[in-house]
Amino acid sequence: MLPVLGALVLQAMYGAVDLLVVGRYGSTAGLSGVSTGSQILNLITFMVSGSAMSITVLISRYLGEKRDSELGSLIGAATVIFVLISTALFVLLVFFAEPLATLMQAPAEAKQLTADYIRICGAGIFFIVAYNVIAAIYRGLGDSNSPLLFVGVACAINVVGDLLFVAVLGMNVAGAALATVLAQALSVLFSLAMLRKKQLSFRFRRSDFCLNEQSARILKIGFPLALQELLTQSSFVAICAFVNRLGLDASSGYGVASKLIGFIMLVPSALMQSLASFVSMNVGAGDEKRAERAAVTGVWICELVGIAVFFLVLRHGDLLSAVFTADSAVIAKSFAYLKGFAPEVLLTPVLFAFIGYYNGHEATLWSMEQGLLQVFLVRLPFSFFMSIQPEASLQHIGYAAPLATAFGIFINTVYLFRYRKKHLQ
C-alpha cells in the first residue's frame, strides 16, 4: 500500500504543481482555467485507472491460480483495448475542447484558457493512458515500487517544466499543460525500458497483441469500474459547474479545495487499489479469510490517518489553501468548502475498503451500482439544491460528499451479507 500511496501522491502532484505555479506566476483567470480544465483531465485519468484495475485484478488472480501462461495474452489484449480507448479520448479532448469548456460553465474570463489546457493535455492522452496501464501490470505482478519510481521521475520533470514554461517564459496555462504532457511522455518511455529488462515468469508473443479470448473478461471487469469512475468524477465536474455559476472567486476556490482533497483521498485510494490486488491473489490461492482480514486491517490503518487529517482540514484549511494562492478571497472560498467536506475523510476508508474487497472478487458490477446510487440519489441532488439557494455557501455544498459516502457505507454493509451468503458459503 505504501508504494502505491507514494505513486498516487506524486501523480496528483502533476495538477497540483500546475495550479501552484500558475497561481503564483500566472493570473486568476489562468488559475480558474487550470482548475476547471484539470477537472476534465482528472475525470479521464480516474476512468482510465479504474478500468486498468481489471488488468491488476486478473494478473493477480492468474498468479494466485498458478496460470502464468495466460498472462501474455491477457496483457496483449489489454494493450489493444487501451490503444483504442486512447484514440477516442484524443479525438474528444483535442477537437472538442471549446464545447467541453462551455459544458463546464467556465467563467468567461477563463473559458479560452480552460480550452487550451484541455486541448494540450488531450494531445498527450496516449502517454497518460499508457502510464496507467503499465502501472497496473506492475502492481498485478506484485511490484508496486517501480510505478512509484516512474511517476517520481515524471513529477520532477513536470516541476522543472512548469517553472520554465510558466515562471520564466510566461506561457501561463499553455505552459503548465505542456509541462504535464512532456513529463508523462518521458515517464512512459522510462517505464517501458524498465519492463523490457524485468525478469518475467511468462513470455510475450506478437500474436498476443490482438482482441483475443481475454478481451471479454477484461471488459467485464473493467467496464463497470470505468463507468463508476466516469460517473463519480462527472459528479465532481458537475459540482464544479454548479460552483462556477457563483463567480470567479468561488470557481478558483473550489479548484484549490479540489486539489487539496485530491491529496487527502490518496490514502484510502491506495488502500482500495492495494486491497483489490491482495484480495484477488488470495482468493485465487483459496485463502478467503486472509483476504477478509486484510480489508479490516486496511480500514484501521486509514482511519488513524483520517482522524489526523480531519482536524488538520477543519482547523487549518485556510493555511493549506494558501499554499496554492495568495488571493485572500480564493483562500476563504476554498476553506469554506473544506469545512463541509471534512467528515468525508473519516468515512471514505470504510467505503473504499468495501470497494477494494468487491473488486478483488471481480464483483465490479456492484462497485459500479453502489457508486451510481451515491451520485444520483445523494451527491448531485444535494449539491445542486445547495448551489441555487439565495445565499449559496461552498461549505453547504461540501456536505454532499460525506452524506453520499455515509449512504454508500450503509448499502455496502447490507449487500455484504447477501454477497457472503450467495458466493462465500
Side-chain angles (χ1 to χ4, degrees), residues 401-417:
L403 287 174
T405 300
F407 174 71
I409 292 172
F410 171 74
I411 60 177
N412 274 285
T413 302
V414 173
Y415 182 79
L416 181 62
F417 291 102

Side-chain angles (χ1 to χ4, degrees), residues 43 46-48 50-51 219 221-235 364-365 367-369 371-372 375-376:
L43 186 155
F46 277 105
M47 183 183 72
V48 170
S51 58
L219 293 173
I221 298 173
F223 180 76
L225 292 175
L227 186 58
Q228 174 199 351
E229 290 292 353
L230 174 63
L231 294 175
T232 300
Q233 295 303 316
S234 292
S235 71
T364 56
L365 184 60
S367 294
M368 179 190 72
E369 291 170 349
L372 298 184
V375 168
F376 290 107

Side-chain angles (χ1 to χ4, degrees), residues 28-47:
T28 301
L31 185 65
S32 177
V34 171
S35 65
T36 303
S38 62
Q39 291 289 328
I40 294 288
L41 269 298
N42 285 343
L43 186 155
I44 298 297
T45 300
F46 277 105
M47 183 183 72

Side-chain angles (χ1 to χ4, degrees), residues 271-301:
L271 167 65
M272 180 180 67
Q273 291 189 25
S274 304
L275 192 59
S277 178
F278 189 94
V279 168
S280 182
M281 190 172 291
N282 280 277
V283 170
D287 196 344
E288 180 65 42
K289 290 185 177 180
R290 191 164 186 256
E292 293 178 356
R293 290 199 302 271
V296 175
T297 301
V299 170
W300 283 112
I301 293 171

Side-chain angles (χ1 to χ4, degrees), residues 84 120 139 208 250 287 375 377 402:
L84 295 174
I120 296 172
R139 288 167 184 156
D208 290 332
D287 196 344
V375 168
L377 294 184

Side-chain angles (χ1 to χ4, degrees), residues 357-375:
Y357 178 79
Y358 290 130
N359 289 345
H361 284 85
E362 300 185 31
T364 56
L365 184 60
W366 167 249
S367 294
M368 179 190 72
E369 291 170 349
Q370 63 87 32
L372 298 184
L373 291 173
Q374 291 181 60
V375 168

